[in-house]
Amino acid sequence: MGTPSQDLPFSERVILITGASAGIGAALAEALAKNFSGIRLVLSARRQDKLEQVATQCRQAGASVLVVPTNMADENQIKALAQSALQTFYRVDALVNNAGYGQMGPIELIPPEAAKQQFAVNFHAPLLLTQALIPAMRDRGGGRIVNISSLGGRMAFPAGGLYSCSKFALEALSDVLRMELKAFNIQVSVVEPGPVVTEFFRVAWEEIQHTVPEPTQTIYHPAFEKIEAIDKQLQLLGWTSERVAKVIIKALTARHPRPRYIAATGGSIFVPLMTKVMPTRFTDAFWKHFYGIDRVEREWREKVGIAGKQL
């Protein structure tokens, strides 16, 4: 069985991080290496060259690092990731399910394959990887799982519906796991970042170009115009990846971790305000304006009105 995870100094634990080649995942890996010399890290992402760059920084800080390039939409590669980690370090003390991306655009226009891909990476991959590691954690006497969700996993918003759907599912998965795994001393937490200064919206906009032909020519063009510009609007509120990483480390090191950690300016007030206090019609109006759906409504009403008069 070996030494239980909770009895090991944190600097001797094995931490598996997905999506570790850039952004929050890379910042977390480097922060762990710098603050806990000797820590063992398993870093996973699609691009090996980017992963190796992060791994080099971590090794220079004193960490032992295993790099496992993984396509998180491939079930076999996910299982191979878990096996590689266990074969190399013989255990995984903590899993950080960080890999994910945003599928932006109105629900009507998202192709079925793009919807499947969104859930494959943001929900199905964390599910499969967690399932693969639970037995090993249980055999070691415990462990920790931290799922990186989003404020979009607590509040659904238009023009980003599939992303929210996948994160809502991840939140539910986390709640279920927290209850089911408590008996095995496996603790489960969710970290919910708000806007983060990463390439999230740029990548989301590039994804739109592939999934929605000529988005600015559709009836939803005001929403697409808003999405294209929203990254600049959120820069003022956005946290750095390093700041979010500090919150994740709290979830990893707390003796009694909280079920949820919000990593957003004013998030602890904004989330309950928008989900519990304000009437639904108010929150609907807020998000519709923020994402340009109110303009879609106005233009449609004007078009229908004009057509009605012509008839």
Side-chain angles (χ1 to χ4, degrees), residues 112-150:
E113 285 305 314
K116 291 178 182 178
Q117 181 77 3
Q118 178 77 104
F119 270 82
V121 175
N122 287 16
F123 173 74
H124 199 223
L127 169 63
L128 290 175
L129 187 54
T130 299
Q131 288 176 322
L133 291 174
I134 287 172
M137 286 186 175
R138 180 169 52 232
D139 289 346
R140 296 289 303 192
R144 197 159 298 199
I145 299 167
V146 179
N147 292 325
I148 310 305
S149 180
S150 164

Side-chain angles (χ1 to χ4, degrees), residues 1 6 134 137-143 176-188:
M1 184 172 180
Q6 68 271 18
I134 287 172
M137 286 186 175
R138 180 169 52 232
D139 289 346
R140 296 289 303 192
V176 172
L177 289 171
R178 187 181 66 251
M179 293 182 280
E180 291 182 348
L181 302 181
K182 183 178 180 180
F184 312 133
N185 197 33
I186 300 174
Q187 298 164 307
V188 182

Side-chain angles (χ1 to χ4, degrees), residues 76-94:
N76 291 327
Q77 290 189 36
I78 293 169
K79 292 178 180 178
L81 166 60
Q83 292 171 357
S84 295
L86 295 173
Q87 288 172 359
T88 301
F89 293 118
Y90 307 105
R91 68 178 194 271
V92 171
D93 300 301

Side-chain angles (χ1 to χ4, degrees), residues 210-272:
H210 296 295
T211 58
V212 182
E214 299 184 344
T216 57
Q217 302 302 312
T218 72
I219 195 171
Y220 295 102
H221 69 88
F224 285 113
E225 292 167 6
K226 200 81 176 214
I227 293 171
E228 190 175 14
I230 205 167
D231 193 20
K232 295 179 180 179
Q233 297 175 20
L234 293 177
Q235 289 291 329
L236 297 175
L237 294 174
W239 282 24
T240 63
S241 297
E242 289 74 18
R243 190 176 178 186
V244 176
K246 290 180 180 179
V247 178
I248 300 172
I249 291 175
K250 285 183 181 179
L252 288 170
T253 58
R255 184 176 179 84
H256 301 290
R258 302 201 303 263
R260 283 174 171 77
Y261 293 80
I262 293 179
T265 300
S268 59
I269 297 174
F270 185 71
V271 172

